[in-house]
Amino acid sequence: MASEAKMKGQELKRRIRPGEALSAVKVLLRDKEDTAQVFRIVEALAGNSYYRHFRRFAGSEGGRRILASRSNLLDRLRDRERLARCPKGSLGQQYLAFVYGEGLSAEGLVEASEEGGVRTFVDPDVALFRNRMRDSHDLYHVVTGYGRDGLGEICVLTFGNAQFHNHGIGFLLLLGLLKSRREHPGLPVLGPMIEAWRRGRAAKNFPEIQWEELLDRPLEEVRASLSLAPAPRYRRAEPESKRIEVEFQVRRELAMQRQRDLEPA
């Protein structure tokens, strides 16, 4: 199985492209909501990390079950009628509330990844693995309890990078830490990041989880089954981080409105 996974994952091998990453960083610094640039940075700096993690995934019991089932996680997550029938307090119900509350959709990450230049893979097993890595991002938010505020995004990426290290994500985290310290020196960032890293190292490996089987289960039960520790450092900093996020969104909307006003009728 290991040699087969190694052979299958060859198309995940790639060289690091720092120039491409730098161009995407410049755009992202102007608008942190431009998710396509995040995908560009991660893809440009990933190197062989996805190759290594595919081999681990394909060789694990959970990964083999997922590959055998051919389950399409995106189809389950965009079926809002099915999610609405999940029991109150379940992972599925909480996921639906999260994406609705944040104005998101399961398809949004697909669109951003395509705009960000994530390529299509020929091997069906490799494609399934990469798609699940993309489609499960908002599930990670719900399960870990990290919000979509700036600190929450940093922490959910730190958690994931503790489980499947990627140079591109590591670079984004360093950028986020330095930017947060410069712009919001009163917001604790490093402590929650260290906490998120430790949570990721202690929890079960998320890429090997068949999330489809957990959507009807109580969220707290799912967290316990995944060995997820609490996140008190993030919880203490969350109100301030959310306040900063609201102010940012207001400024962003005003700037966009001014731009619309300047456009010719």
Side-chain angles (χ1 to χ4, degrees):
M1 175 58 75
S3 60
E4 182 181 348
K6 182 177 181 179
M7 184 171 59
K8 276 179 166 289
Q10 291 298 325
E11 62 178 325
L12 286 168
K13 285 190 170 184
R14 65 194 69 185
R15 61 183 179 82
I16 291 176
R17 307 184 300 277
E20 184 178 326
L22 182 59
S23 297
V25 167
K26 292 177 180 177
V27 178
L28 185 64
L29 288 176
R30 291 197 295 270
D31 181 7
K32 75 183 185 71
E33 297 293 302
D34 190 345
T35 309
Q37 305 310 317
V38 174
F39 280 103
R40 285 196 176 100
I41 293 166
V42 172
E43 287 293 308
L45 299 181
N48 293 334
S49 60
Y50 284 121
Y51 168 70
R52 294 193 303 271
H53 295 306
F54 172 75
R55 290 179 59 189
R56 176 185 174 186
F57 167 81
S60 69
E61 180 181 353
R64 288 193 296 269
R65 287 185 65 232
I66 291 170
L67 293 174
S69 72
R70 312 310 302 174
S71 181
N72 189 318
L73 181 59
L74 178 61
D75 283 347
R76 295 294 299 274
L77 294 181
R78 63 184 171 190
D79 187 349
R80 298 197 175 194
E81 291 184 5
R82 171 64 181 85
L83 291 171
R85 296 196 297 272
C86 290
K88 184 177 181 180
S90 65
L91 172 59
Q93 187 262 343
Q94 293 293 322
Y95 170 81
L96 184 61
F98 180 83
V99 294
Y100 264 127
E102 297 290 346
L104 306 172
S105 69
E107 296 88 345
L109 288 171
V110 179
E111 295 167 1
S113 69
E114 291 174 350
E115 187 180 343
V118 176
R119 55 182 176 165
T120 302
F121 296 95
V122 175
D123 187 278
D125 288 353
V126 173
L128 189 150
F129 165 73
R130 287 291 281 117
N131 289 344
R132 289 183 71 90
M133 293 284 287
R134 174 199 65 203
D135 300 334
S136 56
H137 177 77
D138 288 331
L139 275 173
Y140 285 22
H141 271 288
V142 176
V143 174
T144 60
Y146 294 126
R148 288 197 71 244
D149 54 284
L151 181 58
E153 289 289 358
I154 287 174
C155 285
V156 80
L157 289 176
T158 302
F159 180 99
N161 221 32
Q163 295 202 334
F164 38 91
H165 180 69
N166 180 299
H167 297 302
I169 294 176
F171 176 77
L172 284 172
L173 291 173
L174 177 61
L175 191 68
L177 174 63
L178 296 176
K179 189 171 186 291
S180 295
R181 282 188 160 179
R182 184 182 72 249
E183 297 180 357
H184 310 289
L187 178 68
V189 178
L190 184 58
M193 287 180 69
I194 293 172
E195 177 182 74
W197 175 270
R198 289 173 176 168
R199 294 180 83 204
R201 298 298 293 174
K204 292 185 179 178
N205 194 39
F206 276 25
E208 299 166 17
I209 303 300
Q210 196 150 19
W211 298 105
E212 299 89 330
E213 297 178 351
L214 303 180
L215 293 174
D216 286 320
R217 290 175 59 181
L219 178 56
E220 291 307 317
E221 182 181 303
V222 172
R223 286 172 172 163
S225 71
L226 298 177
S227 303
L228 268 174
R233 288 187 173 185
Y234 169 72
R235 288 284 165 246
R236 288 194 292 270
E238 185 181 17
E240 177 64 10
S241 180
K242 286 189 172 181
R243 183 192 65 78
I244 292 169
E245 185 69 22
V246 168
E247 290 182 352
F248 166 78
Q249 294 297 344
V250 169
R251 292 195 303 271
R252 184 170 185 264
E253 181 56 37
L254 288 173
M256 292 172 66
Q257 184 60 54
R258 285 195 295 269
Q259 181 63 35
R260 288 192 292 267
D261 292 342
L262 292 174
E263 293 175 357

